[in-house]
Amino acid sequence: MRALTWHGKRDVRVETVPDPVLKDPTDVIVRVTSTGVCGSDLHLYEVLGPYIDPGDILGHEPMGIVEEVGPDVTELSAGDRVVVPFNISCGHCFMCDRGLQSQCETTQVKERGTGAALFGYTKLYGQVPGGQAELLRVPFGNTLPIKVPTGPPDDRFVFLSDVLPTAWQAVEYADIPPGGTVTVLGLGPIGAMAARIALHRGASLVVGVDLVPERLSRAYGEGVKALDLRRYGKDLGNAIRDLTDGRGTDAVIDAVGMEAHGAPLAKAAHWGVGLLPNAVAGKLMDRAGVDRLGALHAAIDIVRRGGTISVSGVYGGALDPMPLLTMFDKQIQVRMGQANVRHWVDDILPLLTDEDPLGVDAFATHHMTLEDGPKAYQMFQDKEDGMIKTLLKP
């Protein structure tokens, strides 16, 4: 089969690799029909090389058609259409029973001290072959894949793999009061969808912050109060307080994470680690990694006293400094974590109707072939051609 594989910093290639095969009796093989390029994939493209090997297959946002099922699979048959959640969860352990599929005890990567394994996402999360490929082996065929109806285009359902549940959880964790206010930092795929969900769920004011003109324009057209970080800079908090009677918004969603704008010293550290041999760089990041925390520090400034910060952007630093005095004084609540995809499916599926209230049918800005995957990564990293969300078609 053809698959998009990692070979080094800013070096991904489409290669011919062996087809996956059934290994466990509850496995299924899915022929991928659409697969997303995620902002988290750019962390592998740019920062997290020490945790990935040349030839690893990337991608964690696939959907497709079941091609083969193991002997113990009873819930799916060949020909069924499914979306594959990005976190690999068994569906029946202590954590899964509590809706914490991202912490699944069956697939936790205990040797790394991390949560549930993920498709296509480094040794930290199991080094499982990903979904930017023609075929994908999916474990736990009775409980993990999400069966969806035939008929509507892939764009209607593919975002159930990551974007929709991650954005839904971000809004849920933000705990926006009825008719309340929220700031979304970062209007990439997750931030843009979180803004839409917050408006759909009744927020009276959604402020969206970014520095990419196309992202700001798109959010503005959807009813978001869009603020250009290039204009406001360090005055961003004051600008948002001016919109909220001097208090700040009830909640802030950090949809940026470790690659926030600014923080030149941390940026230089990321760049320098990328030049080290992987064995050395990995140990350094494990013990002394520091993220670019501009977005998180902005969230602490922007949120009103007694408000909530919801973090969906990925952080990986071992020694990130946090202003705990300010957080304590402002009585800020912080919630974060990988999305528990399966937990939110029943809330989201009823919205994927012909009315399409979340605008999923037109959410992707680009559709490209799998063979164009390397170009898609480069365009997404460089924010070219107004690219916000890309779906690859194997």
Side-chain angles (χ1 to χ4, degrees):
M1 71 172 181
R2 301 288 281 172
L4 194 146
T5 59
W6 184 92
H7 286 274
K9 185 174 181 178
R10 292 207 175 204
D11 182 4
V12 297
R13 310 171 192 173
V14 178
E15 300 180 308
T16 299
V17 302
D19 290 0
V21 297
L22 299 173
K23 293 182 179 179
D24 297 315
T26 57
D27 286 351
V28 301
I29 302 295
V30 174
R31 180 165 292 279
V32 177
T33 55
S34 291
T35 183
V37 180
C38 179
S40 297
D41 291 327
L42 296 185
H43 300 324
L44 309 181
Y45 192 60
E46 191 73 21
V47 178
L48 294 178
Y51 302 111
I52 192 167
D53 291 331
D56 282 357
I57 300 173
L58 304 180
H60 57 272
E61 298 185 349
M63 72 171 292
I65 306 298
V66 175
E67 189 159 280
E68 187 178 359
V69 301
D72 289 352
V73 175
T74 58
E75 299 300 313
L76 294 174
S77 303
D80 285 341
R81 190 185 194 195
V82 296
V83 178
V84 182
F86 76 91
N87 38 36
I88 304 172
S89 57
C90 71
H92 53 71
C93 69
F94 177 92
M95 291 295 177
C96 288
D97 285 346
R98 285 152 181 78
L100 295 169
Q101 290 88 352
S102 67
Q103 310 302 322
C104 173
E105 292 184 328
T106 305
T107 72
Q108 280 178 18
V109 187
K110 294 182 173 64
E111 63 270 23
R112 293 279 182 173
T114 53
L118 310 178
F119 286 105
Y121 214 78
T122 80
K123 299 171 186 176
L124 294 174
Y125 290 98
Q127 206 168 20
V128 180
Q132 289 170 358
E134 292 179 324
L135 296 167
L136 177 67
R137 182 183 76 89
V138 181
F140 309 114
N142 289 319
T143 53
L144 180 60
I146 304 163
K147 188 175 178 180
V148 296
T150 58
D154 280 5
D155 290 47
R156 180 73 57 85
F157 301 112
V158 67
F159 301 114
L160 279 171
S161 60
D162 183 349
V163 172
L164 281 167
T166 298
W168 191 275
Q169 179 170 295
V171 173
E172 189 76 20
Y173 280 11
D175 196 25
I176 307 163
T181 59
V182 61
T183 297
V184 180
L185 299 176
L187 295 170
I190 302 302
M193 184 57 73
R196 294 183 183 192
I197 291 169
L199 287 168
H200 174 77
R201 293 176 60 170
S204 63
L205 172 68
V206 177
V207 180
V209 180
D210 209 296
L211 42 70
V212 179
E214 293 86 353
R215 295 179 177 185
L216 291 162
S217 177
R218 188 184 197 190
Y220 175 78
E222 295 163 354
V224 174
K225 177 68 175 179
L227 300 183
D228 190 334
L229 183 62
R230 297 170 301 175
R231 173 183 175 185
Y232 291 98
K234 294 182 179 179
D235 290 328
L236 178 64
N238 289 330
I240 292 172
R241 282 185 283 275
D242 286 344
L243 298 171
T244 53
D245 298 322
R247 297 188 186 93
T249 49
D250 297 312
V252 177
I253 295 171
D254 173 3
V256 178
M258 67 170 73
E259 294 190 56
H261 179 70
L265 292 178
K267 180 179 180 181
H270 280 184
W271 181 83
V273 167
L275 299 178
L276 296 172
N278 281 352
V280 176
K283 291 179 181 177
L284 182 62
M285 291 178 74
D286 284 344
R287 298 187 178 120
V290 176
D291 291 313
R292 298 160 69 182
L293 296 173
L296 192 52
H297 287 173
I300 293 166
D301 176 40
I302 291 164
V303 72
R304 68 161 169 80
R305 292 179 178 272
T308 302
I309 295 173
S310 171
V311 181
S312 61
V314 175
Y315 287 95
L319 295 177
D320 287 341
M322 294 294 293
L324 291 176
L325 187 153
T326 300
M327 296 168 70
F328 180 87
D329 179 67
K330 291 186 71 173
Q331 200 169 331
I332 295 170
Q333 299 181 71
V334 181
R335 297 193 70 184
M336 64 184 74
Q338 298 279 12
N340 303 300
V341 174
R342 263 299 191 171
H343 183 67
W344 306 113
V345 168
D346 290 345
D347 292 317
I348 299 168
L349 264 177
L351 300 176
L352 304 183
T353 63
D354 288 342
E355 288 76 20
D356 191 18
L358 299 180
V360 293
D361 282 350
F363 187 67
T365 56
H366 292 70
H367 295 80
M368 303 171 73
T369 67
L370 180 65
E371 297 295 328
D372 285 330
K375 180 180 178 182
Y377 270 71
Q378 176 263 312
M379 291 175 64
F380 195 22
Q381 177 69 31
D382 296 338
K383 299 179 175 64
E384 293 181 1
D385 193 37
M387 181 178 282
I388 298 174
K389 186 63 183 178
T390 296
L391 294 177
L392 301 178
K393 303 287 186 176

